[in-house]
């Protein structure tokens, strides 16, 4: 009986292995804190229909006729204030998270797992991350966007970017997409640990603010669950720490444009608290898995000034979870259902 052979000489069997690829993604950053780099970054970011839901022709005129002429120089100054010798804090921290995640996977005998980092906007791109996994012959990919609370503007947009790349591939891999982990027990514990460490060092503040990145209220009205997931995260951390509800607030930051966004607004709240006689606040931002412009410049600097200028005296920023060991353990817990040990 003749031996069966492949129709072509394409060695497909050599392109298949038992490895699992984990693509860890975050929002992204410009390549440098200057106007040209910001113009490129903002063009990509603000062209995303998940970010701005205006009719495309109208928005194209506004974006290219006004925003990209003015905003890059302003944003460059803000980025320059947080830039380090290693570059963007967000990119560097995400790299550190991936390095620690690789080590943790190896310690726990997940030797068949490859971890690659990618950014939704800027570099390294989603496309480059997926291509890196494909070049390793990996046909089973798990995508972990580092957004604990799902939002269409972040997690949903990441899914769009993944799909836009994969729809050009002849051989589409097996794909698992993690769309959030806002109530995952070890994530809540890591947040609670960071707050407790602050309390142990500085005492319980008069007010503790959980400040989440805002979205237009219209997103919530149209079915986006982000607002509810943020409230749930705050509640779970407070329950674990047994905090008095009257001492804790959930607020929303980083709005732009004229339409109503999720409220209460962080900056307005801080001014009101100070004017009401509150002298000490501590603030954290659980929606950010790594410190970035919105935490290091907006929360730690700009909002501190609002509070102090309005009459407040003591303002603490509790850092993002970054590459804390309990945070990386939580991310591994999120991934474990999609992995297998060897």
């Amino acid at each position: 009986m003749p031996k069966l052979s492949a129709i072509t000489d394409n060695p497909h069997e050599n392109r298949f292995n038992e490895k699992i690829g984990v693509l860890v993604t975050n929002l992204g950053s410009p390549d440098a804190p200057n106007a040209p780099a910001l113009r490129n970054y903002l063009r990509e970011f603000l062209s995303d229909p998940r970010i701005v839901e205006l009719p495309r022709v109208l928005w194209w005129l506004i974006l290219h006729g006004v925003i990209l002429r003015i905003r890059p120089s302003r944003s460059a100054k803000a980025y320059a204030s947080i830039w380090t010798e290693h570059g963007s804090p967000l990119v560097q921290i995400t790299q550190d998270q991936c390095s620690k995640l690789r080590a943790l996977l190896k310690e726990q005998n997940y030797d068949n797992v490859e971890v690659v980092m990618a950014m939704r906007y800027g570099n390294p791109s989603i496309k480059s991350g997926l291509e890196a996994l494909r070049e390793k012959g990996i046909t089973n990919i798990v995508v972990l966007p580092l957004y604990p609370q799902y939002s269409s503007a972040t997690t949903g947009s990441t899914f769009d970017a993944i799909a836009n790349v994969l729809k050009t591939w002849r051989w589409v891999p097996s794909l698992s997409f993690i769309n959030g982990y806002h109530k995952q027990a070890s994530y809540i514990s890591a947040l609670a640990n960071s707050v407790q460490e602050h309390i142990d060092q500085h005492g319980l503040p008069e007010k503790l603010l959980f400040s989440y990145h805002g979205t237009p209220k219209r997103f919530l009205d149209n079915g986006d669950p982000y607002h509810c997931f943020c409230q749930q995260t705050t509640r779970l951390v407070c329950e674990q720490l047994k905090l008095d509800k009257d001492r804790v607030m959930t607020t929303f930051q980083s709005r732009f444009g004229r339409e109503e966004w999720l409220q209460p607004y962080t900056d307005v709240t801080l001014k009101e608290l100070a004017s009401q006689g509150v002298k000490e606040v501590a603030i954290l931002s659980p929606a950010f898995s790594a410190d970035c412009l919105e935490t290091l410049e907006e929360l730690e600097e700009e909002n501190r000034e609002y509070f102090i200028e309005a009459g407040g005296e003591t303002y603490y920023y509790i850092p993002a979870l970054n590459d804390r060991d309990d945070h990386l353990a939580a991310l591994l817990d999120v991934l474990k259902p999609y992995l297998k040990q060897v």
Side-chain angles (χ1 to χ4, degrees):
M1 189 168 180
K3 182 179 178 180
L4 296 178
S5 61
I7 295 174
T8 71
D9 293 328
N10 240 335
H12 292 125
E13 69 278 5
N14 296 329
R15 296 286 297 167
F16 179 84
N17 58 52
E18 295 299 320
K19 286 193 173 184
I20 298 171
V22 173
L23 187 69
V24 176
T25 74
N26 212 321
L27 186 74
S29 172
D31 291 333
N34 56 46
L38 261 297
R39 188 169 294 107
N40 291 334
Y41 178 76
L42 290 173
R43 182 185 299 111
E44 182 182 8
F45 175 61
L46 295 175
S47 294
D48 186 344
R50 292 274 196 177
I51 301 298
V52 180
E53 295 182 342
L54 291 175
R56 292 296 90 188
V57 173
L58 173 61
W59 179 239
W60 190 94
L61 293 173
I62 296 172
L63 177 62
H64 291 270
V66 180
I67 294 176
L68 292 180
R69 295 175 182 270
I70 299 172
R71 191 165 174 178
S73 295
R74 295 177 181 175
S75 296
K77 294 179 182 178
Y79 273 99
S81 72
I82 66 163
W83 215 254
T84 74
E85 60 179 338
H86 302 293
S88 161
L90 174 65
V91 174
Q92 181 61 50
I93 292 168
T94 309
Q95 288 173 341
D96 293 342
Q97 289 170 330
C98 288
S99 295
K100 285 195 171 184
L101 184 58
R102 291 185 192 101
L104 196 57
L105 285 162
K106 186 173 183 180
E107 287 175 12
Q108 300 195 21
N109 298 319
Y110 290 97
D111 294 328
N112 62 322
V113 179
E114 295 276 350
V115 177
V116 171
M117 181 187 81
M119 295 289 157
R120 174 61 185 90
Y121 312 102
N123 296 305
S125 67
I126 294 285
K127 181 178 180 181
S128 69
L130 289 171
E131 290 289 354
L133 293 173
R134 180 161 71 162
E135 288 174 4
K136 295 177 182 291
I138 293 173
T139 59
N140 185 356
I141 296 175
V142 182
V143 182
L144 175 59
L146 292 179
Y147 310 118
Q149 299 81 18
Y150 173 92
S151 170
S152 60
T154 52
T155 322
S157 175
T158 302
F159 180 83
D160 293 346
I162 297 290
N164 286 338
V165 174
L166 294 185
K167 72 182 182 182
T168 67
W169 289 16
R170 180 68 62 184
W171 188 356
V172 175
S174 173
L175 182 71
S176 298
F177 185 87
I178 298 172
N179 73 346
Y181 49 96
H182 71 282
K183 60 180 182 179
Q184 211 278 337
S186 49
Y187 162 69
I188 296 298
S189 291
L191 283 175
N193 290 343
S194 71
V195 174
Q196 186 62 57
E197 288 167 11
H198 172 83
I199 293 172
D200 291 343
Q201 183 175 358
H202 301 287
L204 199 61
E206 287 183 70
K207 288 289 184 180
L208 177 64
L209 272 64
F210 287 68
S211 177
Y212 298 83
H213 197 291
T215 63
K217 183 177 179 294
R218 171 173 44 84
F219 287 18
L220 171 62
D221 295 338
N222 291 337
D224 193 303
Y226 176 72
H227 176 268
C228 302
F229 290 168
C230 294
Q231 298 286 352
Q232 190 171 20
T233 296
T234 300
R235 177 177 61 79
L236 290 171
V237 173
C238 290
E239 287 177 356
Q240 184 159 326
L241 293 173
K242 297 180 171 54
L243 294 174
D244 183 349
K245 293 181 180 179
D246 292 337
R247 195 181 291 269
V248 177
M249 300 182 71
T250 295
T251 62
F252 297 89
Q253 64 182 87
S254 309
R255 68 190 185 277
F256 65 89
R258 296 184 178 180
E259 70 174 306
E260 181 182 0
W261 281 46
L262 296 178
Q263 295 195 44
Y265 300 137
T266 298
D267 54 353
V268 173
T269 299
L270 287 167
K271 295 173 185 177
E272 290 176 346
L273 287 174
S275 67
Q276 293 165 6
V278 173
K279 298 301 182 183
E280 180 187 25
V281 299
I283 190 166
L284 68 155
S285 194
F288 294 99
S289 59
D291 277 315
C292 55
L293 183 73
E294 287 81 0
T295 62
L296 298 174
E297 193 274 337
E298 185 179 352
L299 284 187
E300 196 162 20
E301 296 180 16
E302 182 180 335
N303 281 271
R304 180 191 302 274
E305 292 177 4
Y306 291 149
F307 181 68
I308 300 301
E309 289 175 0
E313 295 179 357
T314 306
Y315 178 103
Y316 294 107
Y317 169 64
I318 300 173
L321 294 179
N322 294 327
D323 63 344
R324 290 172 55 110
D325 290 344
D326 51 6
H327 186 208
L328 272 298
L331 294 180
L332 180 56
D333 285 345
V334 172
L335 285 168
K336 278 183 177 178
Y338 306 90
L339 308 178
K340 60 182 179 181
Q341 292 172 309
V342 295

